[in-house]
Structure formats: C-alpha cells, structure tokens
Amino acid sequence: MTPMKEDYLKIIFELGGTKKKVSNKQIALSLDIAAGSVTEMVGKLVQEGLAKHTPYAGISLTKKGIRYAETLVRKHRIWEDFLVDKLNYGLPDVHSEAEVLEHVTSERLVDSLEAFLGNPKHCPHGGAIPDKDGHYQEDSHTSLADTEDGAEVSIERFIDNHDLLMYLHDIALQIGQQVTVVKHDPFEGPVTIEVKATGQQIPVSYKAAHNVFVK
C-alpha cells in the first residue's frame, strides 16, 4: 500500500470514519489538498475494500480498513509519544519522524515500545492509541468549527499535521484548555474562543478550527 493511501486511512480514522460518514471536504481540509484528489483516492479505497462511499453522504472505513488504520495509527502514535517523552521533540516536529518509523516497525517492537512507555493511552496531540488487541477509548469527533457560540468546552485533540501544530503553538492553543466559543465569523472567517484560565480571546482560523476537536 502506498504512503498516500495510508495517509487517507489514518485521516479518515482521525475524523471519525469508523463510526460515521466523513465528507470529502473534511478530508481535503485536513490533508490540505484539492477536493478532486480526494474523490479519486476514495474510489481506490472503495475498490480495495477498505472504505465505503455513499454519494452526498461521505465515506467510512470497512472492517478491513479499520483494522489497517488501527495498526498504522498505533505505531505512529506510540512513536510520537516516545519522541516527545523520551527525546524531547517539539510537538510540531514528531509527525514526519513517526511517519518514517511506523513503516519499519514490527509488531514485536511496537509492543515492547508500548510497554517501555508505560502503556500510554493517548499520543502527545491527544489522539487515542489502540492497544495490541485493538481496544481504545473513542476520541471526540466534534470539531471546534461545529461547536455553537456560547458553548463551554475542553480542547481534546488536534489533527496530526505539522503546519497545523505550528500554527496552534504560535497562538498558544493547548490540549486540556477550557474555553468558551465566543463567535464564528461568516464567510469562512475565524472562530473566536476565550480561554477560561486567562480570559484571553484567540481567533482560530477556519481551517484550523475544523482540525481541533473538543468535548
């Protein structure tokens, strides 16, 4: 399987495609690619029995696709945890390294690495880590962009994307922060939030708000 197909499986998994239909627009926003490219790749995943697509509704993973995605995500996120926790990598810098390492990691190695790290349940950007039997606590799939004005929520996780993580670092948005959604600006404008602990108001861009998940 090509790295690009694997990236699609992982992002559909991150967006909730194990339980619901994910739109082409969501995939395009998260991978920062054109919608036309998503349509083409979705067709290939369907042909290989990894995904199901319903016109005008979206795409979800099949059982085969879920198993494949869980294996990829498990290796990727355990390596991210190791890089941040043991090698002091910055959060925006771990994705590309983990992307390489996941493809050369055996099941024995990832099991040993997991035990060495104390069986972490979440990676540094908040995503759940499946255990070797495929068990994990389901992530929130409610994006900041889809949260109503006035709602008080906790920042749970970020999509694993280098540019996104750099942006969120620059605006000081962090996992675990309690925030209030102040307003959604029209015409794909930013979502303004207020951090409960400091009272600081932060405008979060339209694209970033679709890749930040809250509970």
Side-chain angles (χ1 to χ4, degrees):
M1 179 176 292
T2 66
M4 181 59 72
K5 285 181 182 177
E6 291 180 344
D7 285 345
Y8 270 79
L9 287 177
K10 285 187 291 186
I11 205 65
I12 295 168
F13 178 91
E14 283 204 64
L15 292 170
T18 62
K19 302 287 186 183
K20 65 176 186 177
K21 296 289 185 181
V22 176
S23 71
N24 284 18
K25 180 180 179 181
Q26 287 177 289
I27 297 170
L29 281 169
S30 295
L31 293 178
D32 196 21
I33 56 177
S37 300
V38 174
T39 301
E40 181 180 353
M41 183 59 78
V42 164
K44 293 179 180 179
L45 295 177
V46 170
Q47 287 179 353
E48 295 180 22
L50 297 166
K52 297 176 288 186
H53 181 249
T54 303
Y56 309 108
I59 181 172
S60 60
L61 298 178
T62 62
K63 289 183 178 179
K64 178 182 175 182
I66 291 171
R67 286 196 300 269
Y68 206 110
E70 286 174 348
T71 299
L72 290 169
V73 166
R74 169 174 160 74
K75 292 178 178 180
H76 189 93
R77 291 179 175 175
I78 285 176
W79 274 118
E80 288 186 326
D81 191 75
F82 175 81
L83 292 168
V84 170
D85 188 49
K86 302 302 180 183
L87 300 185
N88 298 316
Y89 270 62
L91 185 56
D93 301 323
V94 297
H95 175 72
S96 58
E97 300 279 16
E99 192 82 4
V100 174
L101 290 165
E102 71 184 58
H103 294 109
V104 295
T105 302
S106 67
E107 291 301 319
R108 178 182 178 183
L109 177 55
V110 75
D111 288 348
S112 298
L113 196 59
E114 180 184 43
F116 173 72
L117 293 169
N119 302 302
K121 302 302 181 186
H122 294 86
C123 72
H125 55 83
I129 299 176
D131 67 17
K132 62 182 179 181
D133 298 316
H135 300 138
Y136 55 95
Q137 183 176 351
E138 191 72 25
D139 291 325
S140 166
H141 299 298
T142 302
S143 74
L144 180 60
D146 293 332
T147 306
E148 294 183 356
D149 291 353
E152 296 183 2
V153 296
S154 173
I155 305 297
E156 184 183 56
R157 65 184 178 96
F158 308 138
I159 289 291
D160 192 2
N161 175 283
H162 176 267
D163 291 341
L164 172 70
L165 295 173
M166 287 293 292
Y167 170 78
L168 297 175
H169 178 268
D170 289 343
I171 65 172
L173 191 64
Q174 300 174 12
I175 290 169
Q177 283 178 323
Q178 302 291 320
V179 304
T180 301
V181 179
V182 177
K183 63 175 181 175
H184 292 65
D185 281 356
F187 300 108
E188 299 189 353
V191 178
T192 301
I193 60 174
E194 182 175 298
V195 180
K196 185 175 181 179
T198 63
Q200 179 187 10
Q201 291 199 355
I202 302 174
V204 182
S205 75
Y206 174 83
K207 184 181 290 187
H210 279 84
N211 291 304
V212 172
F213 295 88
V214 300
K215 62 179 180 180

